[in-house]
Amino acid sequence: MNVRDFEQGRCFLARLDLGAEIVSQISDLAKREGIKTGTLSAIGALSRAELACYDQAAHMYQTIRVEGPVEMVSALGNISLRDGQPFVHAHAVLADGEGRTRGGHLMKGEVFAAEICLQELVGQPLIREHDPATGLHLWGER
Ligand code: ZN
């Protein structure tokens, strides 16, 4: 297990822009504010989205396309450094007009309305490195 402790830094609440791509808008905010490590949560509504499930045998993401409109019931994630830049890792549960949900790794989504809470964490930044056993970019020991 790889454990590191942090102090709480700044906490941001942000309303994202209509039509924006949610993951890139969150990473842009992190870059602009110099956030290297943090946690995030989000709720709102998306016009469409692309979720994914990681195929653990093939080491590839299987795409789940979600044609909206959908409620973003819950999205949770974190920010750490990958290739020297803030990288957003988020998962989301999305609900259609009948309340039926689909969930997965949030690849991208077109914002209809979204409110996010971004908690900066201050300490030695977590750095994502390629992990041969899983094929994922996981937090390294550095
Ligand atoms: Zn994921």
Side-chain angles (χ1 to χ4, degrees), residues 49-127:
E50 201 172 293
L51 302 173
C53 182
Y54 193 67
D55 182 326
Q56 297 175 15
H59 287 191
M60 289 174 55
Y61 279 103
Q62 300 297 324
T63 303
I64 304 160
R65 283 185 218 295
V66 180
E67 289 303 323
V70 289
E71 288 293 309
M72 184 167 56
V73 178
S74 176
L76 293 172
N78 56 60
I79 291 173
S80 53
L81 293 179
R82 180 172 164 178
D83 301 324
Q85 296 292 325
F87 176 83
V88 173
H89 180 201
H91 289 188
V93 177
L94 307 175
D96 67 14
E98 304 291 317
R100 287 179 301 237
T101 56
R102 282 195 281 174
H105 179 98
L106 180 61
M107 301 295 274
K108 56 186 173 181
E110 185 180 321
V111 172
F112 182 76
E115 298 170 345
I116 70 159
C117 174
L118 180 53
Q119 172 67 58
E120 178 186 38
L121 296 171
V122 179
Q124 187 188 352
L126 287 167
I127 297 172

